[in-house]
Amino acid sequence: MYQCVLTLWSHTMYTSSYYVSTQVLGTLNIKWDPQVFQTNSQSHFGKGDRQIFLSSSEIKQDWSDHALWWEQKQQWLLKPSWTLDKCGIHADARLCLTPQHKPLQLVMPSSIVLRMRVCFSSPVFRTIMGICKLLNIRRPEELSLLWPVEEKKKKKDKDVGEEVYDITCAPLPSTGTIPKLANGMPAFFAETPETEVVYKILAVSQPAPAPETIAKLYRTTNIMEKAHINSRWLDSSRSLLQQGVKENDKLILRFKYYTFHDIIPQADVVRLTQLYEQSRWAILLEEIECTEEEMMVFAALQYHIGKVSLTEQSVASCPAMEDLDSALQCLEVKMEGESSADDMLETMTAPELHDYLKIFRPKRLTLKGYKQYWFTFKDTTISYYKSKEESSKEPIQQMNLKGCEVAPDVSVAGQKFCIRLLIPGPEGMNEVYLRCEHEQQYSRWMAACRLASKGKTLADSSFSSEVQSIQSFLAMQKTTPRNNTAQTDESINTHSLVSPRYQKKYKPKQLTPRILEAYQNVAQLSLTDAIQKFLQIWQALPDFGLSYIVVRFKGCRKDEVLGIANNRLIRIDLSVGDVVKTWRYNTMRQWNVNWDIKQVAIEFDGNVNIAFSCVTANCKIVHEYIGGYIFMSTRCREQSDTLNEELFHKLTGGHEAL
């Protein structure tokens, strides 16, 4: 048994990496991880500098990664130059000498489990930076860690174990250094065939899971369960050990903030693949709603990505090519900006939309349907008149779409092209449906509504690209002449490509022709293009990026749901699921948290004030979500390679900000 004494010295003199002294002042109880050793002599604390010196002649190893953990205060002692008085340590303190980096089981978005060494002493935000640097994932600020949901294991599943890929031998990433690449991957992964396999698993999309696997996984069935998931996020400002995480515990790594900045396929191989895996599981586990036609397109893209990934690997090219691609991309953005400026000078007036559309306002106890009017779209406002001839008179109604919710209601097969609008009003959200005649008209008006909801006009340079994006998505849902050779493909496992809802609704023989019809529209896409198209359609879903928290607003007696998105907050009626109110971040003046009563208060323009307490989560999680999204909005291309950690903690840390 090793003898270990934590000894206090005075009149210290710095020599090499140790503090040497001649006078002993006292001793403390110390816990040696994983064994405990105690001393009973009394400690005396006088004035002057005192440092900690560990005397152990029998233990010889590298102690550079070890640090002291103060169990009683749940605090790391990471500043060796501080005196014990400054740390607040007394003779009854119980300290633990333990490594700062410990093994942790990390569940990736692709559901594979990695066992790797991570930092238990730094804030979680910096720990994730180290994880992402090792795995070659850029933009670590978009990810975070959360506790897995406790699942009740059945007796049959007791002996079933999941495969864990051990990479604890990987070198600890150092801050400020760029990881060296070898064969398109970090140098560590290129050292052995085993580690190279692990990197390829991270960088290449995995085969479609078996239907039995999807059925066994945890699925949220209502908005309350979705809110419960978001209560499990770890605090980014505190360390793992401070939050009760122990060695070899299992945590989930996920993209938390749905603002994916500066994606470059050549440099973001792992990031792009893991983002696709997270979006795919969100679709398969029904974490986000989509229509039947959209599900067929998602299934066709999954099928195509699975086929292409067997032969084509989106592995990064040489660094010189990456620099060239990045330079060309910057030049392209610059030229686009110049051309749009020229167009603005030529027109000098913001463009407008004019057309006959049908409008419907759903109300209770009414059977009235759509009615046709002449519509004009100018700036962010829609106006409609009885006819085109009366457009010079006062409109029947004007609707400002700034801050509204826009959702598609489309069926290409049924030639239904509707736009659902939830427009903020004094008494809540007003629901309006606009019906277009054909897809070209729908694409223009849908793009205009989406831009207007963000406060942008038709003069914005992104209008044309938004129209093209909508048209390309509609084209994917069109049925093409059936290819008999394609439909005899027996390798397609349809129930692995759709969510359980459609597994129950249709038999494989019914799903196969529909998926293969949609597949004909994406069969020519490359692997990278197919993944980006999948992510593009995922981001266009109405409920994309919404994180739910059950709250109780001040002055209300019932619980409601707060939906947190990348650009807005949404108040949702828990009983019926309808949107009651929407508030945009760009109208937010300030937000505060009363940590004593755990209440969040937010002030918006127009003297709009809201306050609520959190029911299913700590108010720190809501505070971190809002601050995190505001931090994401400060990123720009010029600062693409720098990460302002101090600003992130100022916006998200609250009273515990570093």
Side-chain angles (χ1 to χ4, degrees), residues 380-411:
T380 60
T381 302
I382 286 181
S383 306
Y384 63 93
Y385 310 81
K386 284 187 177 181
S387 64
K388 182 178 180 180
E389 291 72 24
E390 296 190 10
S391 59
S392 58
K393 301 178 181 179
E394 286 293 320
I396 297 174
Q397 187 182 11
Q398 284 186 329
M399 298 177 289
N400 192 335
L401 303 190
K402 189 175 181 180
C404 75
E405 297 296 314
V406 183
D409 185 10
V410 176
S411 173

Side-chain angles (χ1 to χ4, degrees), residues 128 141 189 254 260 281 294 377 411 425 455 601:
I128 294 172
E141 65 272 20
F189 289 101
R254 287 292 182 273
F260 313 120
W281 282 110
E294 289 167 341
F377 200 120
S411 173

